[in-house]
Amino acid sequence: MSNCYEYSLKPPSTAEIVSTFGDSDLPSKLYRAPYYAVESDAPDHPREYAGLVYHLRGGDGLDTLDEWTSASAEESLDIIPNYDKASGSESNIWGWQYAASPPSVRQVRRWLTERGKRKRQTKPKDPSQIDGPTQANPYGMRPTLNPQNVPSVRQEGNMEVLAIEVFAPSITGKLPDPAADEVVVVFWSIYDSDSQNINQHFSSLCQAGIIAVNKQELNSRKIRGWSLDVVDTELELLNRVVDIVQDLDPDIIVGWDVQTSSLGYLDARAKSYDFNLAEQLSRAPGRTTNGGTDQWGAQTTTTFKIVGRHVLNLWRVIRAEQNFTTYTFEYTVFQILRKRTPHYSPHTLTSWYYSSVPEHVSRLLRYFTDRTSMVLEIIDVAQIVTKTAEFARIFGVDFFSVLSRGSQFKVESFMFRIAKPESFVLLSPSRQDVGRQNAAECMPLIMEPLSAFYNSPLLVLDFQSLYPSVMIAYNYCYSTCIGRVVDFKGQNKFGVTELHQPPGLLEKLKDHVNVAPNGMVYVKPEVRKGLLARMLTELLDTRVMVKQAMKVTKDDKALQRVLDARQLGLKFIANVTYGYTSATFSGRMPAVEIADSIVQSGRETLEKAIRVIDSTKKWGAKVVYGDTDSVFVYLIGKTKEQAFRIGQDIADTITAMNPAPVKLKFEKVYLPCVLLAKKRYVGFKFENPDDKEPVFDAKGIETVRRDGVPAQQKMVETCLKILFRTQDLSRVKEYCCDSWSRMLENRISPQDFIFAKEVKMGTYSDKVPPPPGVAVAARRMVEDSGYEPQYGERVPYVIIRGKPLERLVDRAVAPEEVLNDSHKYIDASYYISRVLIPPLERIFNLVGADVRSWYDDMPKALRADQPDAYLLSPRKVLDYVDLANRVNIDGHFLASRCLTCSEPTSYGVCMDCRTDEQPTIARLLVKVGKTESKLKNVHTVCSSCSGNPRYRTHPM
DNA sequence: CATTTATCCTAT
DNA sequence: TTAGATAGGATAAATG
């Protein structure tokens, strides 16, 4: 390790744990925490802080230790092992010290008795790496932040990742139920997440195996690259899994879904043998952190935890990282690995397992081995481990906290590293204190846009990191505020506390203060540079350095990835620091007054910029929209080239008007563009003057939202493109009418009409009908008790034709139902009237077209048998009930014609054709072939047309 | 027919 | 125990 601040992200090995804590007294929680503080005024729940122990009193049995009630911060530090008070170094705490959270009474006692006896193991210090400010390092930043000081690729920093998937046949054909269905095969694969590996072929880095319960057909089937291990019983199989985990000793265990399959299923099975899997797999034998209900884990990461190893629930990791319309394994594989993978129902898999055809068994094994290695491949391609590890280093928190904890924890951890050398102690308000804060009074500026179609260049400029810049420029911080200009309600409240400044302070400092627009007074940097300003300056500067480093190391792919992750981590902290001050609901140390100062200053900065732009004659510009930190400037009658010049001029002028580092950046030119509403606009984007082809760029509208259907996204985008390219409304109309008639004739792919929205079971009000996705999921739960959507899972559904006035919820069904039930039809008129027309109407109203009339005026022949409930009043709909019923009956007959000879029948293939087998089969095969090639064609056309892989159909 | 409530998802 | 913020648009369905 190159410097003393380097610490590993890997959990400790069993040997290390035992050598640190001894066999008999392992801490209950081995996740590495930097160090802990016990707060003084929340006796019920001492809260851990990534920082100093500054008071040790009350709470968690510690109240028996009377002598500590009056302990000063200085004294308290002594009880932390290896804390070197003289130098302020905590090097060993950052090393392999693992702390329980919070320290037990026993642990504190032991620290007490061992104090003094303990031999300190501080490493010799390199002067450039001392925490305190030096000339080279004026703010005493951790060397970790300096890209030059950190070896970008560590010799032993890589982690071993083990993927586990399991197969349990289910007799019922439903999802396997851990209470009844035994696990018969376990698949595992391990790889080394070293970022140096990117040039090697992925499969060459893996080692993999299958553990199967003895079965004749299975024993003879081999999969290349996978060792086969045969056992006699399920219990033996579980023991083999434990052996393998202990033997390979991975740092991370992963499954696509570790709650209901993979490890979660194994754990549930293990319970029936009274066998604690988590305990067996752990690195601290006999320890587990599981038990009880862990709602938080279930909703964010995983409830299954193993002491000493990280358990990743891959779908949740992906959900947090990527914006997908669904998070099925198949869809994720397609999006990330760019390949297709089939999905088989538990019923099919089970039938393969019991099949006597050897091919079936092979197929089953192949399916799962592929799945297991793809889990690792996703982790590799999406850079999950390396990215998370880099974030952990930047934030100064442990690996798992990067995934499991919120932004406050990370800001705090980072802030503390700046606060400590300054001898600042963060206060720790109680929930009540936080709740008693004043209400926020300031709001960002969001202009009402001049909604229109803009045919001349529209400039977009935004202030780069406005809030962090404001904090730096005006020195807004906890540590620089000296109160209000005028007392509020007779009090001088500041955040969660009361300010008691010495009398005469303001007089003394009156030439050295900034007064924020909300009436708070802050000292200028020459008096004291604020903690937040200091931290943000470092963050932004370091980020610039990292970005520069990226430019000069273009050839080193591994390094690029690390640097990119580092840059993103820095950006993250800078962006959420404002949020930390304004976290009024759950805040750990919020201060509304600071948040208000920032917001109001930001607002005034923007307002001033707008005034200047509007009033500067030479630009001939008009501000038509602005949101928080951005301005949209219309340059009527100017060319694209002029626009780029003026844009740069505006940016420079406004930047020069503002204190550093506030900077207005010229972002892009839209030509043409549509402003629809606040936070909703779309245009053809040019980022450079010499860009030839514009990029379709939309914000807030249906094309970028995930609560519509693919057809809606495609149609809105295509119509907009036609409008932008040709400005010919008749072409748009032609396209729309064409699409609608195809829908009415049912010449559509159901794929394009699937909604998929998040479902959060257990959070819904029972006063109103549930959202459609919830109703669909609930119905499926009745059918298959094993099925319960995970918290936040996106449940797909389509809307089918139903009786008029039937509620939408009752017409929402799972997509498979439409495919499997010939009486169910996608409700084309619902989709047209309620899903497709409204967004188009909003857009084309602005150019004077009436989209709905296009539909109303369409040749009605096609729609004669479908009264359109959405065009009628509810009363009139009732008149149509009879007709609708007839239509339904008619539809029934129409759909039920023999597939080969077209004679009416209700059996798919009529009895006559059934008896005449050979020609029927031949005809059916021809039909299947034709239909398949048709479908393939459609897919090709579809994807080539949209050009966006996101809209390509995928296996469900 | 307008307003309110519940829900979802996005912009900044 | 955990948990950045607010503003805003949109739909469905109940309510006044």
Side-chain angles (χ1 to χ4, degrees):
Chain A
M1 300 217 179
S2 75
N3 69 55
C4 60
Y5 301 109
E6 199 57 44
Y7 58 95
S8 175
L9 300 165
K10 289 166 71 133
S13 67
T14 305
E16 282 167 313
I17 292 171
V18 172
S19 72
T20 310
F21 293 100
D23 232 341
S24 58
D25 192 30
L26 293 171
S28 60
K29 200 172 177 188
L30 283 166
Y31 292 102
R32 197 190 60 72
Y35 23 35
Y36 288 98
V38 181
E39 65 178 320
S40 55
D41 39 16
D44 296 330
H45 299 289
R47 194 161 69 193
E48 105 267 27
Y49 249 116
L52 308 173
V53 171
Y54 56 93
H55 263 286
L56 196 58
R57 174 167 66 83
D60 207 34
L62 290 172
D63 47 351
T64 55
L65 297 174
D66 288 337
E67 58 194 290
W68 288 93
T69 9
S70 57
S72 71
E74 280 297 295
E75 283 169 320
S76 304
L77 292 174
D78 278 346
I79 68 158
I80 298 190
N82 299 333
Y83 186 87
D84 184 348
K85 205 162 56 172
S87 65
S89 155
E90 74 289 32
S91 56
N92 281 340
I93 296 176
W94 286 92
W96 276 118
Q97 194 62 52
Y98 277 68
S101 161
S104 62
V105 174
R106 187 172 172 175
Q107 185 70 59
V108 172
R109 283 223 171 92
R110 197 164 58 186
W111 284 343
L112 270 173
T113 53
E114 284 178 10
R115 178 163 57 144
K117 278 196 285 184
R118 193 174 47 248
K119 193 179 154 203
R120 293 210 171 120
Q121 298 185 347
T122 38
K123 295 180 185 173
K125 282 209 155 185
D126 176 339
S128 72
Q129 292 173 348
I130 294 175
D131 257 330
T134 62
Q135 199 164 13
N137 186 10
Y139 305 130
M141 284 299 289
R142 279 191 168 279
T144 317
L145 278 175
N146 184 335
Q148 268 122 47
N149 285 358
V150 181
S152 294
V153 180
R154 286 162 187 78
Q155 282 157 347
E156 291 177 37
N158 50 324
M159 303 225 225
E160 306 234 291
V161 189
L162 175 73
I164 291 184
E165 295 293 328
V166 305
F167 171 61
S170 89
I171 313 278
T172 55
K174 295 176 182 174
L175 289 170
D177 170 13
D181 300 320
E182 293 199 355
V183 173
V184 295
V185 199
V186 169
F187 303 81
W188 61 267
S189 180
I190 189 163
Y191 102 118
D192 193 318
S193 77
D194 193 336
S195 55
Q196 287 284 284
N197 292 338
I198 50 177
N199 297 324
Q200 291 171 48
H201 192 264
F202 181 76
S203 58
S204 69
L205 301 166
C206 297
Q207 188 195 341
I210 299 170
I211 314 165
V213 174
N214 199 4
K215 181 172 184 290
Q216 214 189 340
E217 290 83 1
L218 209 140
N219 296 350
S220 55
R221 313 307 300 181
K222 285 259 160 63
I223 304 273
R224 205 154 60 88
W226 292 69
S227 67
L228 180 63
D229 205 340
V230 179
V231 294
D232 286 325
T233 63
E234 188 189 30
L235 187 60
E236 265 185 61
L237 179 130
L238 289 167
N239 278 311
R240 281 296 297 142
V241 172
V242 172
D243 290 347
I244 284 180
V245 170
Q246 291 296 353
D247 192 34
L248 296 168
D249 200 25
D251 302 301
I252 297 174
I253 304 184
V254 61
W256 173 251
D257 169 15
V258 296
Q259 295 282 106
T260 60
S261 58
S262 185
L263 281 178
Y265 198 88
L266 282 181
D267 182 46
R269 288 303 303 160
K271 283 213 175 76
S272 60
Y273 299 101
D274 228 5
F275 180 106
N276 188 332
L277 191 67
E279 191 182 306
Q280 295 294 316
L281 298 181
S282 91
R283 274 176 171 170
R287 288 288 164 155
T288 168
T289 57
N290 294 341
T293 56
D294 180 3
Q295 206 193 342
W296 179 247
Q299 292 181 5
T300 56
T301 50
T302 163
T303 51
F304 187 79
K305 293 185 178 116
I306 298 176
V307 174
R309 299 181 209 283
H310 302 307
V311 178
L312 297 191
N313 197 5
L314 189 54
W315 88 267
R316 283 222 179 267
V317 176
I318 298 293
R319 184 177 93 117
E321 188 157 297
Q322 310 264 356
N323 256 352
F324 289 164
T325 41
T326 63
Y327 292 94
T328 58
F329 178 73
E330 294 76 21
Y331 188 72
T332 307
V333 165
F334 178 60
Q335 290 295 330
I336 295 182
L337 304 181
R338 316 300 315 164
K339 61 187 181 191
R340 298 196 181 273
T341 181
H343 176 82
Y344 298 112
S345 66
H347 177 79
T348 309
L349 296 172
T350 305
S351 71
W352 285 350
Y353 179 72
Y354 288 115
S355 163
S356 53
V357 183
E359 255 307 297
H360 285 170
V361 179
S362 288
R363 210 180 287 172
L364 175 75
L365 295 183
R366 175 58 72 190
Y367 174 68
F368 276 100
T369 54
D370 282 352
R371 207 178 151 93
T372 312
S373 49
M374 279 190 283
V375 165
L376 289 186
E377 226 178 316
I378 289 173
I379 290 185
D380 188 58
V381 172
Q383 290 286 294
I384 305 287
V385 176
T386 43
K387 227 192 272 175
T388 308
E390 195 54 36
F391 281 6
R393 293 193 187 98
I394 293 288
F395 304 157
V397 303
D398 70 281
F399 185 91
F400 199 68
S401 293
V402 173
L403 302 171
S404 64
R405 303 205 54 176
S407 62
Q408 294 201 55
F409 184 71
K410 296 162 189 167
V411 171
E412 212 157 75
S413 162
F414 198 99
M415 190 155 69
F416 233 102
R417 296 191 293 191
I418 321 276
K420 208 194 61 177
E422 303 277 311
S423 303
F424 285 138
V425 165
L426 304 193
L427 49 91
S428 181
S430 66
R431 181 64 58 84
Q432 287 75 17
D433 289 336
V434 173
R436 273 196 294 269
Q437 277 195 109
N438 289 331
E441 296 171 312
C442 304
M443 262 214 278
L445 172 68
I446 306 173
M447 287 176 70
E448 187 63 51
L450 271 161
S451 297
F453 174 71
Y454 290 88
N455 209 6
S456 290
L458 185 68
L459 307 178
V460 181
L461 303 104
D462 58 24
F463 285 101
Q464 230 172 13
S465 316
L466 180 63
Y467 286 177
S469 303
V470 164
M471 280 186 255
I472 297 170
Y474 301 102
N475 209 26
Y476 294 159
C477 182
Y478 300 92
S479 61
T480 55
C481 184
I482 56 171
R484 290 167 187 278
V485 174
V486 182
D487 278 6
F488 178 66
K489 291 185 181 169
Q491 286 183 317
N492 201 352
K493 210 165 176 189
F494 177 62
V496 294
T497 54
E498 190 88 15
L499 272 189
H500 298 291
Q501 300 293 7
L505 181 74
L506 190 58
E507 269 304 303
K508 233 186 272 174
L509 290 171
K510 67 177 189 301
D511 297 328
H512 306 281
V513 296
N514 287 320
V515 180
N518 66 331
M520 301 303 291
V521 183
Y522 300 85
V523 297
K524 288 189 172 165
E526 64 260 26
V527 180
R528 173 193 277 170
K529 178 141 183 177
L531 179 65
L532 292 178
R534 188 160 289 196
M535 164 173 155
L536 291 164
T537 311
E538 288 296 337
L539 280 168
L540 299 181
D541 290 353
T542 312
R543 181 153 180 253
V544 172
M545 284 168 64
V546 174
K547 281 189 146 183
Q548 271 165 358
M550 283 179 76
K551 275 186 199 148
V552 297
T553 56
K554 280 231 167 73
D555 311 327
D556 189 342
K557 281 255 173 65
L559 183 58
Q560 286 271 307
R561 286 180 173 185
V562 173
L563 290 179
D564 191 47
R566 190 170 302 170
Q567 173 267 119
L568 287 172
L570 294 166
K571 182 181 170 190
F572 176 88
I573 292 287
N575 283 342
V576 296
T577 305
Y578 158 73
Y580 185 82
T581 64
S582 70
T584 44
F585 162 63
S586 62
R588 293 170 65 99
M589 197 177 79
V592 220
E593 287 80 8
I594 298 179
D596 269 358
S597 298
I598 298 166
V599 170
Q600 196 62 23
S601 299
R603 186 186 175 112
E604 293 192 351
T605 305
L606 185 66
E607 283 171 347
K608 197 169 74 182
I610 291 170
R611 274 200 307 276
V612 171
I613 295 170
D614 272 337
S615 60
T616 305
K617 292 280 180 318
K618 65 168 177 179
W619 291 327
K622 184 174 162 56
V623 174
V624 288
Y625 178 56
D627 182 349
T628 313
D629 63 353
S630 62
V631 270
F632 287 58
V633 182
Y634 192 45
L635 296 176
I636 191 156
K638 297 281 196 311
T639 66
K640 201 174 83 189
E641 287 67 31
Q642 288 172 312
F644 273 96
R645 237 186 8 255
I646 296 173
Q648 196 53 55
D649 194 20
I650 293 177
D652 294 342
T653 310
I654 304 292
T655 303
M657 277 168 36
N658 284 291
V662 176
K663 183 184 173 197
L664 186 68
K665 192 178 171 220
F666 174 34
E667 196 63 22
K668 57 199 169 190
V669 172
Y670 280 135
L671 180 69
C673 174
V674 175
L675 290 188
L676 281 163
K678 286 177 176 174
K679 298 181 188 293
R680 304 193 134 217
Y681 54 87
V682 53
F684 269 163
K685 174 179 82 173
F686 294 89
E687 282 178 317
N688 301 299
D690 35 324
D691 279 355
K692 285 280 164 286
E693 278 303 301
V695 177
F696 181 84
D697 189 38
K699 291 283 151 75
I701 64 165
E702 283 70 12
T703 54
V704 293
R705 295 181 65 89
R706 296 177 292 173
D707 51 358
V709 298
Q712 185 193 38
Q713 292 187 335
K714 273 189 244 182
M715 224 172 137
V716 172
E717 184 166 335
T718 311
C719 288
L720 278 165
K721 280 179 172 167
I722 297 174
L723 173 73
F724 289 165
R725 291 213 179 97
T726 68
Q727 295 180 32
D728 181 352
L729 284 178
S730 64
R731 291 221 207 164
V732 178
K733 182 176 177 184
E734 195 184 327
Y735 168 79
C736 287
C737 291
D738 194 45
S739 307
W740 294 331
S741 28
R742 279 213 314 273
M743 286 175 66
L744 292 169
E745 291 163 38
N746 215 22
R747 292 191 292 138
I748 46 169
S749 156
Q751 298 274 339
D752 288 338
F753 297 88
I754 299 174
F755 290 95
K757 297 189 192 173
E758 266 190 7
V759 164
K760 296 168 182 168
M761 285 302 188
T763 65
Y764 295 101
S765 154
D766 47 8
K767 289 184 219 128
V768 295
V774 177
V776 169
R779 282 203 292 275
R780 191 152 32 157
M781 278 163 74
V782 173
E783 259 171 51
D784 183 346
S785 56
Y787 175 86
E788 190 190 336
Q790 305 243 359
Y791 188 90
E793 187 177 323
R794 299 183 75 91
V795 175
Y797 65 91
V798 294
I799 303 297
I800 56 168
R801 276 189 232 162
K803 299 184 207 86
L805 293 188
E806 198 177 1
R807 294 184 315 177
L808 199 63
V809 226
D810 303 318
R811 293 194 286 136
V813 299
E816 307 88 74
E817 279 187 58
V818 178
L819 300 175
N820 299 338
D821 185 341
S822 61
H823 301 326
K824 289 180 175 154
Y825 299 95
I826 284 185
D827 187 346
S829 67
Y830 165 78
Y831 279 99
I832 295 173
S833 288
R834 290 299 178 84
V835 181
L836 297 177
I837 292 184
L840 292 172
E841 218 172 9
R842 285 191 286 271
I843 294 166
F844 288 94
N845 262 345
L846 295 175
V847 288
D850 182 356
V851 179
R852 194 167 288 273
S853 75
W854 295 348
Y855 178 59
D856 292 342
D857 299 344
M858 252 168 68
K860 292 294 194 303
L862 297 167
R863 314 169 25 200
D865 58 349
Q866 285 180 40
D868 200 331
Y870 297 98
L871 296 175
L872 303 170
S873 65
R875 180 183 296 274
K876 279 203 176 156
V877 170
L878 280 175
D879 297 340
Y880 276 96
V881 167
D882 275 355
L883 177 60
N885 282 339
R886 260 182 280 142
V887 169
N888 284 346
I889 292 163
D890 192 34
H892 175 259
F893 279 114
L894 275 175
S896 311
R897 288 182 180 275
C898 174
L899 282 167
T900 44
C901 66
S902 303
E903 287 300 312
T905 174
S906 42
Y907 301 102
V909 175
C910 71
M911 286 309 158
D912 289 345
C913 292
R914 274 168 196 251
T915 44
D916 203 4
E917 274 182 20
Q918 287 307 324
T920 306
I921 288 172
R923 272 191 209 159
L924 282 175
L925 282 177
V926 170
K927 209 165 175 176
V928 168
K930 272 188 187 165
T931 315
E932 275 177 353
S933 70
K934 224 169 162 181
L935 182 69
K936 208 174 145 194
N937 236 340
V938 170
H939 286 170
T940 319
V941 171
C942 212
S943 57
S944 67
C945 175
S946 76
N948 186 340
R950 203 164 115 206
Y951 304 141
R952 282 175 206 158
T953 48
H954 55 273
M956 292 293 291

